[in-house]
């Protein structure tokens, strides 16, 4: 597991253990990766994050068109050998998205059950938001490198 | 393959001749053909206990115990004093090491046929294999063929086996799966606010299985035939859990 | 049995003394198909957890070469979860307090699970 925000690790570890999910990706609604587990190549993570954020944005828009005022809780794709659970959840840091891949050892019901707990734990564990610093050109590349190293390992 | 020397099924269905035909096919190992004859006969004579008995014996030969039990029960509904059905149910129970049920069925058969040597011999045989100290088929967790498996919650087998077979690899595989089941059941009970798990009972067509925690980090699985009453299964499992707790305490 | 009759059956099950709720669960995905329950029972959680236990039980009996589970009774200190197989992938599940009429509940579950076919 790799996390950009260390306080996400414990709830995510518990979620993975309880739900039996194989892969998890937590990101902001803009597609910035917060944590990942189970991905083997950074390309997969970046593609999955972008596609996941896009799917959820599309679904939210569909909910708007259909006048579903509370939106849709989650998007689930159930395959023969594995399923994908994609859901947004509110945190003190804004709206985040989780993409979860699960196999036959788990189920939509288990992922749903423990995802709700995960979202609650994240909301409780989130430290107070520190005002964003102005990103300077000379610091931007260094911070980006640090983030990528944290998520995908040293390269 | 059908034996051409036998009369055709349609002809045999005249009267109860199908019983003889079905039995001959069964004895020759032509189980599918024998079952077809028995079922065709039952279509015409659903109230004939001997027809259900024939089907039950064929099902037993085919290894389909649940089908055999159902057929013998049907025979007893037609004729509550049917000795063959009692003997058959006793046989299935005996094979599943459910000696109490086997003995009870044979005693009922003996009441109907007090001079039937085969019933009396079977009764002697059942009584001879029962533990001297207890009327029940007391499970022994040190006997791999006893149908009692003791395992830790990491999925490692501690003692015993699953009955009918003393295959250690099979018992290890069952221990691994049973530990997963124990953990899942404990989690479900905890998250649903039901508290600590006492036992889990599973039923399949051929078996009844009790899973019971032992100490804080182990559990046992007791397997018996489908005929055993659940109350007795749990009583046996409870006694086995107590014995296993003592055994684990001494071992540790 | 149609879905209206399903709900009648579930209501009858929930009417048994000590029963907190009854539901039809899809064991493949752990989701509720139909339900009747007291407010305090989280039926979605029951479906997910019951399906997980059923799935594990199937793996266990398969390893034992004992066939497919047709019923499951989990007894705990404060209550019990009973489940009977209906037509795949459906299971009829009930949650009851420890002092419930479990014998009667079990018989009703067996009858209704058979009628789901």
């Amino acid at each position: 597991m790799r996390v950009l925000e260390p306080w996400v690790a414990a709830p995510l570890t518990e979620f993975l253990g309880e739900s039996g999910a194989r892969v998890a990706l937590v990101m902001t609604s803009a597609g910035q990766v917060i944590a990942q587990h189970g991905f083997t190549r950074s390309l997969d993570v970046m593609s999955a994050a972008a596609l996941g954020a896009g799917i959820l944005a599309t679904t939210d828009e569909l909910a708007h068109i259909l006048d579903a005022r509370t939106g849709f809780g989650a998007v689930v794709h159930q395959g023969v050998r594995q399923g994908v659970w994609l859901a947004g959840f509110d945190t003190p840091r804004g709206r985040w998205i989780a993409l979860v891949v699960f196999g036959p050892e788990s189920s939509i019901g288990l992922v749903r059950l423990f995802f709700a707990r995960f979202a609650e734990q994240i909301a409780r564990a989130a430290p107070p938001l520190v005002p964003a610093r102005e990103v300077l050109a000379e610091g931007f590349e260094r911070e980006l490198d640090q983030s990528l190293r944290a998520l995908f390992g040293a390269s | 393959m059908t034996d051409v020397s036998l009369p055709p099924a349609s002809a045999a269905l005249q009267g109860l001749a199908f019983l003889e035909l079905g039995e001959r096919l069964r004895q020759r190992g032509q189980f599918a053909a024998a079952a077809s004859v028995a079922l065709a006969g039952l279509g015409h004579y659903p109230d004939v206990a001997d027809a259900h008995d024939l089907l039950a014996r064929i099902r037993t030969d085919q290894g389909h115990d649940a089908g055999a039990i159902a057929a013998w029960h049907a025979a007893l509904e037609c004729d509550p004093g049917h000795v063959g059905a009692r003997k058959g149910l006793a046989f299935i129970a005996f094979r599943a090491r459910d000696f109490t049920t086997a003995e009870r069925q044979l005693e009922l058969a003996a009441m109907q046929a007090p001079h039937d040597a085969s019933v009396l011999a079977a009764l002697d045989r059942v009584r001879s294999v029962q533990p001297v100290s207890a009327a029940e088929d007391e499970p022994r967790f040190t006997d791999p063929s006893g149908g009692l498996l003791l395992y830790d919650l990491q999925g490692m087998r501690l003692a015993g086996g699953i009955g009918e077979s003393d295959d250690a690899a099979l018992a290890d595989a069952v221990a691994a799966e049973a530990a997963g089941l124990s953990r899942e059941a404990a989690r479900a009970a905890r998250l649903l606010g039901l508290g600590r798990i006492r036992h889990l009972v599973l039923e399949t067509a051929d078996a009844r299985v009790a899973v019971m925690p032992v100490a804080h980090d182990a559990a046992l699985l007791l397997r018996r035939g489908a005929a055993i009453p659940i109350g007795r299964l749990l009583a046996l499992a409870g006694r086995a859990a107590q014995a296993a707790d003592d055994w684990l305490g001494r071992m540790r | 049995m149609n879905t209206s009759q399903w709900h009648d059956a579930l209501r009858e099950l929930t009417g048994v003394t000590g029963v907190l709720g009854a539901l039809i669960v899809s064991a493949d995905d752990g989701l509720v198909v139909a339900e009747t329950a007291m407010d305090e029972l989280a039926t979605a959680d029951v479906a997910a957890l019951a399906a997980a236990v059923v799935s594990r039980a199937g793996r266990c009996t398969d390893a034992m070469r004992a066939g497919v589970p047709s019923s499951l009774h989990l007894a705990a200190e404060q209550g019990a979860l009973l489940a009977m197989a209906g037509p795949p992938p459906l299971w009829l599940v009930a949650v009851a307090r420890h002092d419930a009429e479990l014998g009667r509940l079990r018989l009703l579950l067996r009858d209704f699970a058979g009628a789901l076919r």
Side-chain angles (χ1 to χ4, degrees), chain B residues 106-114 119:
Chain B
L106 288 169
E107 283 172 346
L108 290 167
M111 286 168 64
Q112 296 295 325
V119 172

Side-chain angles (χ1 to χ4, degrees), chain C residues 46-109:
Chain C
V46 173
L49 295 166
V53 177
V54 163
S55 170
R56 282 286 191 174
R59 286 169 56 172
C60 189
T61 56
D62 185 47
M64 293 168 66
R65 299 171 188 166
V68 180
S70 57
S71 88
L72 183 153
H73 178 179
L74 190 168
E77 286 171 340
Q78 269 94 52
L81 183 147
L82 285 84
M84 292 276 172
L90 302 183
W91 278 69
L92 186 55
V93 176
V95 178
R97 292 196 311 260
H98 67 95
D99 57 349
E101 293 181 59
L102 293 180
R104 184 166 163 242
L105 175 61
R106 191 180 138 73
L107 292 177
L108 283 173
L109 278 170

Side-chain angles (χ1 to χ4, degrees), chain B residues 139-157:
Chain B
R140 289 168 294 164
F141 55 87
T142 51
D143 175 6
S145 63
L148 178 63
L149 180 66
L150 186 62
Y151 53 91
D152 68 26
L153 295 184
Q154 301 302 310
M156 300 296 178
R157 182 165 63 102

